[in-house]
Amino acid sequence: MICTGRTTHELMQIASSGASFEMLARGRTTHELMQIVNAARTGGAIIYIVDARGFTTHEIMQIGAAGRGHVVFK
């Protein structure tokens, strides 16, 4: 299930609790995605980011570094 309609803060809370989920990249900034995947790393969750076509390679690398193995781009 793709988590939609939730704020960045809510997604950070969900991820830090250890729950893994899919989310759309659309409508989120690089910084917001970095915050969410960092929370996932802390909680041991995995975030599946769907449709990251609008991000540059450098931005995807930044998001990946923030998640340190807790983020998958679909």
Side-chain angles (χ1 to χ4, degrees):
M1 177 178 87
I2 296 179
C3 279
T4 59
R6 302 200 184 271
T7 67
T8 297
H9 182 72
E10 288 173 322
L11 292 174
M12 289 171 61
Q13 289 179 312
I14 294 167
S16 67
S17 77
S20 299
F21 55 87
E22 285 188 359
M23 64 174 291
L24 294 174
R26 189 177 334 117
R28 305 275 179 190
T29 66
T30 301
H31 181 71
E32 288 173 321
L33 292 174
M34 289 172 66
Q35 288 178 304
I36 294 165
V37 300
N38 185 53
R41 182 174 53 89
T42 302
I46 297 175
I47 306 302
Y48 296 87
I49 298 178
V50 179
D51 194 17
R53 287 178 278 183
F55 292 89
T56 66
T57 299
H58 180 71
E59 289 169 329
I60 291 172
M61 290 171 61
Q62 287 179 306
I63 296 164
R68 294 186 185 152
H70 293 267
V71 60
V72 175
F73 291 93
K74 290 178 81 177

